Amino acid sequence: MKSKHISERNALFSLAIPMVLSNITVPLLGLVDTGVIGHLPHAYYLGATAVGSMIITFITWFCGFLRMSTSGLSAQAFGRKNASDSLIVLTRGLLVALVIGLLLIIFQVPYIQMSLWLSGGSEQVTTYAAQYSYIRIWGMPAALANLVILGWLLGMHKAKFAMWLLIVTNLVNLSLDLLFVLGFDWQVMGVATATLIAEYSGLLLGMYFTVKTLDLTPQALKAKLLDIKQQLLSKADFMPYVKLNRDIVIRTLCLEICFIFITFQGARLGDTVVAANAILMNFILLISFGLDGIAYGAEARVGRAKGMGSKVAMQTAVQTSLVYNLIFAGIYSLFFYFLGLEFIRLLSDIPEVIYFSSEFMPWIILLPVVACWCYLFDGIYIGLTQAAAMRNSMLFSTFICFFPTWFLLKGYGNHALWAALLIFMASRGITLMWHYYRNIEQFTAAEPSKENAC
């Protein structure tokens, strides 16, 4: 048993470590964005970037089902050694991403205008947030396709390709950020343009990695696509995919509602509050993307185990992930305990923003050890493609925990928002852990596919 745990640890690390390293570049890019904008003379620039980013991020988070379902389904196909199923998962995801991206571009005006109205920010925040959003919306087809490619590479256990996809995309973004904002003085418009260009650069690199992973000649790839055409368009094959993604969409929508509520409610409390929350939200992203590296490894290994029909492999993957998930969370809490205030000073030199942000650092210090369980079990349930349980956990945590907590504590202002977020994260982890250990026997009950196409 010990050798199995060592082997699983090595396999998990081979997937998780590249993803931890690459995932950290995502919030680090957000920190650079915040730092560049945060040193402009007015807090409303930072507030506008936070609101505009949330308007666009709502879409990419809402469409997170593209990555999640692709990752879980491709990992199970990998476990079954079924190359045709894997290609179907990839192609179907890319087609859905393209359709959604084009629809967003067509209907960009009503979506952005309604979002700005709901945000309730000041005139300056609203003006610059609109500028940001109307640039970023044109990157949606590439951004959504990148979600599919990332999920597919993870499911196929190509963590190094996924790592380089994220690192290169974010390095392009970061470099252009500095050029456009500091060099060209484009302010908020510069941040948005840099991200737009980076998204299409990432798509080109992602397509290269996809072709390399498939390892097929153009003629062979064309023949494979013709072979799976019937299954792609078959209602019997497509409806389970729709059902899976429906539950993930509901789950993600609840998550989005909570984070948007924090951003918009902060905007109503004033420019200083929304600017401070923008800094703290970047810390949350730093935590979540780092811990998601372990979760990504878990979803690939658990999905593989389910595809194999092996309960032992699944339990070993889960137990190993739990241990290292807690270790990484503890490191994050210590990091913010000792260096959190220094990070705030790096991101803004506006005195009132620094003071207000530092007041809420205790919430950030607590967050990793409280939230690490929900991040990990999200990954486990993605690998199991048990989206209904994720949906139910999120509905309970949002409407029974988050909003009632905020309502009861709203007299404490911004502290109420952060207390509600902590309770929300804890509830997600507790409910999914309870469900997993209650239903563990059922997750590998089905026999694995006998197909062996690769």
Side-chain angles (χ1 to χ4, degrees), residues 16 21 28 32 37 52 107 140 152 173 189 213 262 278 289-290 297 309-310 313 333 344 349 354 384 397 415 417 452:
L21 295 174
L28 283 179
V32 171
I37 297 296
F107 295 104
M140 282 298 100
W152 187 79
N173 199 341
M189 183 177 70
T213 301
I262 291 172
F289 278 98
S310 173
S333 288
I344 292 172
D349 54 7
I354 294 172
L384 293 170
S397 301
H415 281 289
L417 293 172
N452 189 17

Side-chain angles (χ1 to χ4, degrees), residues 38-49:
H39 284 85
L40 293 176
H42 301 290
Y44 58 72
Y45 288 120
L46 186 54
T49 304

Side-chain angles (χ1 to χ4, degrees), residues 60-320:
T60 53
W61 282 4
F62 181 78
C63 294
F65 68 87
L66 293 169
R67 188 205 67 78
M68 294 179 192
S69 62
T70 301
S71 179
L73 292 170
S74 60
Q76 292 176 22
F78 180 82
R80 295 192 301 269
K81 299 183 179 179
N82 192 316
S84 294
D85 280 359
S86 176
L87 185 58
I88 289 170
V89 170
L90 173 65
T91 308
R92 184 178 286 151
L94 288 174
L95 288 173
V96 172
L98 179 62
V99 170
I100 295 174
L102 292 177
L103 287 174
L104 287 166
I105 289 175
I106 292 170
F107 295 104
Q108 61 179 283
V109 173
Y111 169 69
I112 292 173
Q113 289 300 316
M114 181 178 292
S115 300
L116 291 170
W117 176 74
L118 288 172
S119 73
S122 66
E123 181 180 350
Q124 293 92 338
V125 165
T126 301
T127 298
Y128 286 103
Q131 185 184 80
Y132 180 97
S133 302
Y134 280 118
I135 295 171
R136 282 287 310 277
I137 199 77
W138 287 92
M140 282 298 100
L144 300 183
N146 287 337
L147 290 176
V148 175
I149 293 170
L150 177 63
W152 187 79
L153 290 173
L154 287 168
M156 296 300 291
H157 286 55
K158 295 293 183 182
K160 289 186 178 178
F161 283 170
M163 174 186 75
W164 286 114
L165 175 60
L166 287 172
I167 288 176
V168 171
T169 301
N170 288 315
L171 283 177
V172 170
N173 199 341
L174 188 152
S175 302
L176 293 177
D177 242 0
L178 298 175
L179 175 65
F180 293 160
V181 179
L182 300 183
F184 296 169
D185 195 27
W186 287 0
Q187 299 173 343
V188 173
M189 183 177 70
V191 174
T193 305
T195 306
L196 174 68
I197 295 172
E199 284 167 342
Y200 281 99
S201 301
L203 178 59
L204 292 175
L205 182 61
M207 294 303 294
Y208 168 76
F209 285 148
T210 299
V211 171
K212 195 171 179 64
T213 301
L214 289 169
D215 195 24
L216 296 171
T217 64
Q219 294 79 8
L221 178 58
K222 182 179 179 181
K224 281 274 190 184
L225 290 172
L226 289 173
D227 286 342
I228 66 172
K229 181 180 177 182
Q230 187 69 27
Q231 286 176 273
L232 279 173
L233 301 177
S234 166
K235 183 178 179 180
D237 289 315
F238 192 68
M239 289 311 295
Y241 176 78
V242 172
K243 183 179 178 181
L244 171 65
N245 284 321
R246 177 202 66 194
D247 290 335
I248 296 176
V249 164
I250 294 171
R251 170 256 178 209
T252 306
L253 183 59
C254 290
L255 182 65
E256 288 277 12
I257 288 170
C258 294
F259 279 101
I260 288 174
F261 184 82
I262 291 172
T263 300
F264 288 179
Q265 190 66 23
R268 286 182 166 87
L269 293 173
D271 288 355
T272 299
V273 178
V274 74
N277 281 350
I279 291 175
L280 298 172
M281 281 295 183
N282 276 293
F283 292 166
I284 290 181
L285 289 177
L286 188 63
I287 294 165
S288 64
F289 278 98
L291 293 177
D292 271 346
I294 299 293
Y296 287 172
E299 65 188 62
R301 297 300 293 172
V302 169
R304 170 182 170 273
K306 182 176 180 179
M308 293 166 57
S310 173
K311 177 183 173 182
V312 172
M314 185 185 73
Q315 287 181 306
T316 305
V318 170
Q319 290 168 9
T320 306

Side-chain angles (χ1 to χ4, degrees), residues 255 258-259 262 284 363 366-374 393-409 415-432:
L255 182 65
C258 294
F259 279 101
I262 291 172
I284 290 181
W363 296 110
L366 277 174
L367 198 68
V369 292
V370 173
C372 65
W373 311 108
C374 69
S393 169
M394 191 67 79
L395 285 168
F396 176 84
S397 301
T398 300
F399 297 106
I400 305 300
C401 296
F402 178 84
F403 282 107
T405 299
W406 170 79
F407 183 79
L408 290 172
L409 300 176
H415 281 289
L417 293 172
W418 288 94
L421 180 64
L422 200 72
I423 296 297
F424 167 76
M425 294 291 192
S427 172
R428 289 170 56 201
I430 291 168
T431 51
L432 285 178

